[in-house]
Amino acid sequence: MSKEIYLDGNATTCVLPAAVDAAVQAMRDCFGNPSSTHATGLKAKAMMDIVRQCARRLLGVGAGRIMFNSGATEGIQTAVLSALCALRERRERGETTGGLLVYGATEHKAVPEALAHWNRLLGLGLELKKLPVDGDGRHDLAALRALAPQAAFVCTMAANNETGVVSDLPGIAAALDGSQALWMVDCVQGLGKLSLDLGHTRIDYAPFSGHKLYAPKGIGMLYVREGAPYTPLVMGGGQEAGLRSGTENMAGIAALGAVLAALEEGGTFRTPAELHGFREKLAASLRAALPGIVFNAPFEKALPTTLNFSVPGLSSKELLDVFDAANVRVSAGSACSASKAAPSYVLDAMGLPAWRSSSAVRMSFGPLASEEMINEACARIERCGKALRDAGLLDTPVSGASAPEGVLQLSLAGNHTWLLLDAPSHQCIAIDLQAELAERVDSLLRSHGYQLLARLSTRDGASWTADTASLAFGAQSLRRVALDADQQAYLLCSGDRVAYAFTGMAALRDLAGAVPADALLCTGREELNACCTSLRAEAQGGVAGADLSLDSVALARLLEAQPQAVLVDVRESYEQAACIPGGRAAQSVPLSRLAAFVPGWLGAAEQPPLVFFCRSGNRSAKAAQCMRRLGYRNAFSLGGGIALAAPGLALAA
Ligand code: PLP
């Protein structure tokens, strides 16, 4: 198993070994309650005071306060509650406050959500106002200047989590000059990466989260400027000088303390120049591997530890999958569901074209990154690029790689497009080709040297231009069957035998008589069928799926008891190619090509156990269900996929 390269530091980081040691020490040797007055408690309190002093020095808090809490989301709530309670009090005293709650358009969701929540709960009825950003992701300072006189509370961030864009905090402060607005700066992504001298700014509140910089999850800090209004979010035993009740997370504080001490002492983390060098290396490898790549934020305005990019023709899911196969962890720059990526509101706010916003990928690392790790990441990026090129996904001619053949399924947003690929003649027939996939299919066919013979629609009989009922397709033929006025089926036949029926949206009951019971049905939508089925399978009803999913232990047992079992990797070809070689032998059957392999499995004299696996267990479950439904009793799926598989199984690199 190749070593994991973790490039998702903006989501969270690993824990610094010294922080692990400090947490263990706090739990084992220094477990006291810092509120206790006996020696055990005093020791714990002393440890906590040391960490707080270190934080105060590092952040330059001056006379301001630093309190420990559970993380930035809590810090944001506390800041918002404090500001809004102060506004309410000012109002009650008859003072003017301004009516706007201004927040940057690219803020973390915690900010607008907290503003809306507390504004509603406190019944303030203030207006939430999104502050636009420019094409580089920086706040529109002219807009802020215009809003400043009516602003009651302004929320901006130090650096953006998706793009790494660093805010112009002095510019924002200048735009707020003369405004009585309170100001929160979300400093989560800035800790350890930007020098913050909070006590010398007009920032009122600054939340931090430990797990973004090598401390564990569940520990954070909130800076509150001296004199800034404050309302506790949590009341109780009066811990943290009454500002935040609840017995402190001492293991977390100790661990955070180790990170802060490392920052203060120097030597543990890479210098800014080294981090810039790492970004250059990664960017050069990405450019070489992924032709047409565009970076979504200007490097000179962003933290060197974040690269956000899009690649024409590739979805973020495809990029994530290929990187994951190479054991490189990155994240979608946008919220991404299995079938369709939602556009990123951050990139949308920057005015980037929709394709960039919905296909963005974020690669981020922390200042603990090493030269060796970055070099290995670059090698794997290049491997991923080659895997995508060889799969014909980057619109470059493919040399040497085997071209897909047979029946190929492409799915987008729950709709299925089917390609029939005849390898000897290099001809292709497309059925129900979705407009959004047209370019993808063009480039796939171009890369593999295929020609599009016909483009047929199950909803439009006129797409059938042949004047005979049957179209020759290599050694096979394709027949059209009109099911009703606006529903066609296409039958792929070997001699007289109907092997496949492409039936679009037709209901099963409409197919009886038109399609033989054992022909493989390839439907037009996910809810009709995820892969393929047959009328006979559907008539026989559902699959008892209880024993379909195997965990690592059950799989190891099965492989031992039945050595003839076949492991089937249903990840796409580019994912399989991106894996570092090694691991147990497996048959390669990308889920998109499952239908091409089904007849062979069903028709074989022996039916050995087939154990499908993929990255997370999603696709393999579909494959196993499909086979079971078609009557192959010995089909299984590795639950949780390679991600959760025991390393001893050596499933893939
Ligand atoms: N603010 C920013 C900029 C972040 O990146 C995050 C975490 O993703 C948060 C706030 C919330 O931090 P937490 O989930 O640790 O509370």
Side-chain angles (χ1 to χ4, degrees):
M1 162 88 60
S2 66
K3 205 166 159 252
E4 171 179 281
I5 302 283
Y6 184 80
L7 288 174
D8 199 14
N10 287 10
T12 197
T13 58
C14 62
V15 179
L16 187 71
V20 174
D21 292 346
V24 169
Q25 208 241 341
M27 290 187 282
R28 196 177 47 206
D29 306 328
C30 188
F31 63 85
N33 184 331
S35 299
S36 301
T37 51
H38 49 60
T40 309
L42 292 176
K43 266 192 230 158
K45 180 166 185 312
M47 179 276 281
M48 188 167 74
D49 288 345
I50 289 171
V51 178
R52 202 186 313 272
Q53 287 310 323
C54 183
R56 296 183 63 85
R57 289 190 300 275
L58 264 173
L59 302 174
V61 303
R65 290 171 287 184
I66 282 282
M67 73 200 66
F68 296 115
N69 59 18
S70 66
T73 302
E74 182 186 330
I76 290 165
Q77 307 303 307
T78 311
V80 169
L81 177 68
S82 298
L84 267 52
C85 285
L87 293 172
R88 185 165 69 173
E89 282 162 23
R90 283 185 201 165
R91 250 196 207 171
E92 283 166 2
R93 288 198 299 267
E95 297 169 20
T96 54
T97 62
L100 301 181
L101 302 175
V102 179
Y103 65 97
T106 59
E107 289 300 301
H108 187 276
K109 280 289 173 216
V111 172
E113 291 295 322
L115 286 171
H117 178 71
W118 293 107
N119 188 35
R120 192 170 53 241
L121 275 190
L122 296 172
L124 285 173
L126 294 165
E127 184 187 346
L128 267 71
K129 190 90 192 165
K130 204 186 273 188
L131 174 64
V133 296
D134 62 19
D136 290 344
R138 287 249 169 107
H139 300 96
D140 179 340
L141 296 183
L144 182 58
R145 265 192 300 278
L147 293 172
Q150 307 114 57
F153 185 34
V154 174
C155 301
T156 58
M157 63 202 323
N160 184 268
N161 44 307
E162 282 190 27
T163 59
V165 168
V166 177
S167 300
D168 174 8
L169 293 180
I172 295 172
L176 291 179
D177 219 15
S179 164
Q180 55 172 340
L182 292 160
W183 184 21
M184 177 183 80
V185 178
D186 173 348
C187 288
V188 169
Q189 298 292 344
L191 183 63
K193 299 169 194 162
L194 296 172
S195 70
L196 297 163
D197 193 13
L198 294 169
H200 286 103
T201 69
R202 68 166 279 177
I203 297 169
D204 294 290
Y205 311 98
F208 296 88
S209 203
H211 71 101
K212 307 287 183 177
L213 195 79
Y214 307 111
K217 288 143 202 71
I219 182 66
M221 303 181 285
L222 178 66
Y223 159 79
V224 181
R225 190 180 54 76
E226 185 192 27
Y230 187 84
T231 297
L233 178 68
V234 187
M235 289 302 291
Q239 288 87 347
E240 292 290 293
L243 301 177
R244 197 267 190 182
S245 286
T247 302
E248 292 84 347
N249 169 3
M250 297 303 285
I253 291 171
L256 178 63
V259 173
L260 298 177
L263 270 178
E264 193 170 37
E265 285 157 17
T268 301
F269 298 115
R270 302 286 88 77
T271 63
E274 286 170 314
L275 297 176
H276 279 90
F278 290 170
R279 176 173 64 186
E280 282 316 310
K281 278 190 172 185
L282 289 171
S285 292
L286 286 167
R287 284 191 192 103
L290 304 167
I293 186 172
V294 271
F295 290 97
N296 291 325
F299 282 1
E300 65 282 6
K301 291 185 180 165
L303 292 173
T305 44
T306 306
L307 297 96
N308 188 307
F309 57 86
S310 307
V311 181
L314 288 181
S315 69
S316 34
K317 168 142 178 31
E318 286 161 333
L319 283 162
L320 254 58
D321 284 349
V322 76
F323 282 124
D324 215 37
N327 258 340
V328 177
R329 313 290 177 234
V330 299
S331 76
S334 56
C336 171
S337 71
S339 54
K340 204 164 185 191
S344 150
Y345 69 90
V346 171
L347 302 183
D348 280 351
M350 291 164 66
L352 297 190
W355 78 267
R356 279 168 70 180
S357 154
S358 61
S359 64
V361 168
R362 177 184 73 185
M363 204 170 246
S364 55
F365 53 94
L368 207 54
S370 68
E371 182 98 41
E372 185 200 358
M373 185 273 269
I374 296 291
N375 289 343
E376 180 58 28
C378 291
R380 295 201 200 171
I381 287 168
E382 281 152 31
R383 193 178 174 83
C384 290
K386 179 168 176 356
L388 291 164
R389 280 197 301 279
D390 286 349
L393 295 187
L394 289 174
D395 209 358
T396 45
V398 175
S399 58
S402 59
E405 59 176 297
V407 172
L408 180 78
Q409 176 188 19
L410 300 175
S411 297
L412 186 75
N415 292 312
H416 302 322
T417 288
W418 294 92
L419 299 184
L420 320 187
L421 299 155
D422 183 55
S425 64
H426 270 79
Q427 286 188 323
C428 167
I429 294 177
I431 298 177
D432 291 338
L433 176 55
Q434 298 164 70
E436 301 91 326
L437 287 175
E439 249 180 67
R440 152 69 52 100
V441 168
D442 267 2
S443 111
L444 191 76
L445 298 186
R446 227 181 357 253
S447 301
H448 290 294
Y450 271 93
Q451 259 196 338
L452 189 62
L453 181 68
R455 184 175 165 168
L456 304 176
S457 160
T458 55
R459 285 172 296 279
D460 176 11
S463 65
W464 181 268
T465 51
D467 45 16
T468 56
S470 166
L471 187 76
F473 183 58
Q476 298 170 296
S477 63
L478 193 71
R479 290 212 305 262
R480 177 171 73 107
V481 182
L483 299 171
D484 60 40
D486 48 21
Q487 184 65 53
Q488 322 290 312
Y490 297 98
L491 309 182
L492 186 62
C493 308
S494 295
D496 282 342
R497 196 177 61 82
V498 179
Y500 295 91
F502 302 92
T503 55
M505 300 301 289
L508 292 174
R509 62 176 178 279
D510 297 334
L511 298 173
V515 174
D518 285 322
L520 282 184
L521 291 185
C522 302
T523 70
R525 251 193 94 70
E526 176 91 22
E527 60 263 22
L528 292 172
N529 193 269
C531 303
C532 57
T533 184
S534 71
L535 287 177
R536 187 184 307 285
E538 295 304 310
Q540 280 161 359
V543 196
D547 62 341
L548 188 138
S549 175
L550 304 178
D551 62 14
S552 292
V553 176
L555 174 56
R557 247 190 252 130
L558 182 131
L559 293 175
E560 204 181 304
Q562 302 196 59
Q564 79 282 18
V566 181
L567 286 164
V568 185
D569 188 345
V570 294
R571 294 175 301 166
E572 291 306 310
S573 64
Y574 51 87
E575 294 168 78
Q576 297 180 15
C579 285
I580 317 296
R584 207 181 268 270
Q587 188 180 356
S588 159
V589 180
L591 190 67
S592 60
R593 298 191 56 207
L594 190 81
F597 287 78
V598 168
W601 284 323
L602 289 179
E606 299 283 319
Q607 298 208 330
L610 293 176
V611 184
F612 297 98
F613 68 91
C614 62
R615 186 171 71 89
S616 70
N618 235 327
R619 290 172 282 178
S620 57
K622 287 184 187 174
Q625 263 154 12
C626 167
M627 289 306 293
R628 288 263 185 125
R629 210 168 169 83
L630 286 165
Y632 197 104
R633 306 246 313 271
N634 253 341
F636 303 93
S637 159
L638 176 66
I642 297 171
L644 303 188
L649 279 173
L651 271 189

